[in-house]
Amino acid sequence: MRFLQSRVIKDGGRGIAALADGILGCKCAGGEGSLPRPASRSIATTCRAVMLPRFGGPEALQLRDNVEVPDLKQNEVLVRARAVSINPLDTRMRSGYGRSIFEPLLPLILGRDISGEVAAVGASVRSLTVGQEVFGALHPTAIRGTYIDYAILSEDELTQKPKSITHEEASAIPFAALTAWRALKSTARISEGQRVLVIGGGGAVGFAAIQLAVANECQVVTTCGSQSVDRSLAAGAQQAVDYTAEDIELAIKGKFDAVLDTIGGPETERIGINFLKRGGHYMTLQGEAASLADRYGLAVGLPAATAMLMKKQFQYRYSHGIEYFWTYMRADSEGLVEIRRLSEAGRFHIPVDKIFLITQVREAHEAKERKQIPGKVVLKFD
């Protein structure tokens, strides 16, 4: 790793090429910028990173030295990574999900979650300072991810790390928690006393949704596998239905104000829609935008996805009187701060089942893909 002591980052430095409006409705992280003031500690100009030069299996991942660290834009923060987590999006992108957008931009750096220390800040950053421990997550369409010694995130994608937990524990939280936050708080706007159904409460997003709904004093019911029943109940769910042993539609009673479907598919969609009150919100993580764009190309796939979403929204408003959404993670500084507060209060966590070194990234992806590890997997930086 090469360092340059207290240098001034000059205008016109090479940044990450910005991608135009992407599948999820916002720009990919990156773009040229500058940091017109000296950093207050050593800044890496090159470092290690896990690169994805082609789509494929875990063997496609390459740990490379001397990967350039671009100059910062004014609202960006350079984070020395201590731990990052593996999300399902990482393994799907590695296999080619989103290739209609990402293939022309190869090689990519995967990773969304991060916990680490601030190494440098852009000129307009006010909420964070060099040396602070932080955690956060990049948007799903970022092309320069967090599997790297020095990651770049915008100020609103980070906040101070909860002091009561380790970097490994912190890195498992942001992406899943903000995905759940966007669905329940930004979209459904859940409030005290409402009933919330989480389909798939055993996964990270589902488990985060249970805790967020409970924190908002909602009544929560979830479906999950047998191994997650006790954990869901301990997190505050009033009922946890083992979908492998029970008929969900018979086991669950009453209607709900919001349904978050983390599984997706025609059957869970049908069940979720039928459990909603009039005026309720159905939200699924399995939107069709990326898959249709991959299948038919951006020019055809994106308009087709928009038409499909609008058709379903109109259909369900007319037939059931409910609102239908495809939900994705977005940066939300208010949400991230609230998640930190809940974590510090002992009311929010995402269990970490296995920790690998960053040098074992292939083994970690392989274990996750083969479902050898049911829960969250974290990569630790030595």
Side-chain angles (χ1 to χ4, degrees), residues 64-372:
R64 297 181 184 175
D65 295 319
N66 299 319
V67 174
E68 183 181 3
V69 179
D71 294 349
L72 297 179
K73 295 169 65 174
Q74 292 194 358
N75 68 328
E76 289 180 335
V77 179
L78 186 68
V79 179
R80 173 66 168 99
R82 296 302 179 189
V84 300
S85 75
I86 296 177
N87 288 289
L89 179 62
D90 299 344
T91 57
R92 294 177 71 191
M93 283 179 62
R94 192 209 67 229
S95 300
Y97 176 77
R99 68 170 61 242
S100 56
I101 288 180
F102 296 118
E103 192 161 32
L105 301 170
L106 291 172
L108 305 177
I109 301 174
L110 299 178
R112 294 297 171 264
D113 288 311
I114 189 169
S115 183
E117 300 160 0
V118 175
V121 297
S124 67
V125 174
R126 294 292 177 264
S127 64
L128 299 171
T129 58
V130 171
Q132 279 187 319
E133 292 188 330
V134 293
F135 79 138
L138 288 164
H139 187 273
T141 57
I143 59 176
R144 187 183 191 274
T146 58
Y147 291 9
I148 185 168
D149 283 318
Y150 286 88
I152 295 175
L153 294 88
S154 63
E155 183 178 15
D156 64 357
E157 292 173 330
L158 292 163
T159 192
Q160 295 179 50
K161 181 185 79 68
K163 295 179 180 179
S164 58
I165 61 176
T166 66
H167 282 296
E168 291 78 16
E169 292 168 326
S171 73
I173 292 174
F175 193 81
L178 287 173
T179 302
W181 177 276
R182 178 168 174 79
L184 297 182
K185 295 291 289 181
S186 300
T187 301
R189 300 186 181 277
I190 59 171
S191 58
E192 180 181 349
Q194 290 189 326
R195 298 192 78 211
V196 175
L197 173 62
V198 178
I199 300 176
V205 175
F207 191 58
I210 293 170
Q211 295 173 90
L212 288 175
V214 169
N216 281 269
E217 300 186 17
C218 295
Q219 302 170 35
V220 183
V221 175
T222 188
T223 68
C224 56
S226 58
Q227 72 279 8
S228 299
V229 168
D230 290 342
R231 187 175 70 179
S232 298
L233 293 173
Q238 294 184 336
Q239 182 182 11
V241 178
D242 178 1
Y243 71 90
T244 66
E246 300 180 73
D247 186 317
I248 295 171
E249 293 175 279
L250 294 177
I252 299 174
K253 306 299 181 184
K255 297 285 188 176
F256 295 85
D257 298 282
V259 173
L260 175 58
D261 182 358
T262 72
I263 306 300
E267 184 63 10
T268 56
E269 181 174 305
R270 180 190 65 79
I271 291 171
I273 293 293
N274 287 336
F275 269 125
L276 276 172
K277 300 175 181 178
R278 293 190 69 83
H281 291 74
Y282 171 86
M283 298 150 293
T284 177
L285 303 185
Q286 307 304 325
E288 297 290 338
S291 59
L292 288 174
D294 288 346
R295 192 180 310 164
Y296 301 113
L298 288 172
V300 175
L302 286 183
T306 301
M308 177 184 291
L309 176 58
M310 293 178 66
K311 179 181 178 181
K312 286 197 171 190
Q313 288 177 330
F314 178 81
Q315 170 192 335
Y316 287 127
R317 282 193 195 117
Y318 180 78
S319 63
H320 291 72
I322 62 97
E323 299 296 325
Y324 177 99
F325 295 93
W326 294 342
T327 188
Y328 306 96
M329 177 270 185
R330 292 281 179 86
D332 187 312
S333 55
E334 178 187 351
L336 194 55
V337 168
E338 181 61 24
I339 289 159
R340 183 194 76 208
R341 289 173 180 162
L342 290 172
S343 177
E344 289 175 337
R347 302 179 63 192
F348 191 97
H349 75 288
I350 303 291
V352 175
D353 285 359
K354 180 74 173 181
I355 298 173
F356 291 85
L357 292 175
I358 190 66
T359 53
Q360 300 171 304
V361 62
R362 288 182 176 179
E363 294 93 323
H365 267 244
E366 184 174 4
K368 191 63 182 171
E369 198 162 68
R370 292 186 178 182
K371 299 183 178 179
Q372 296 171 346

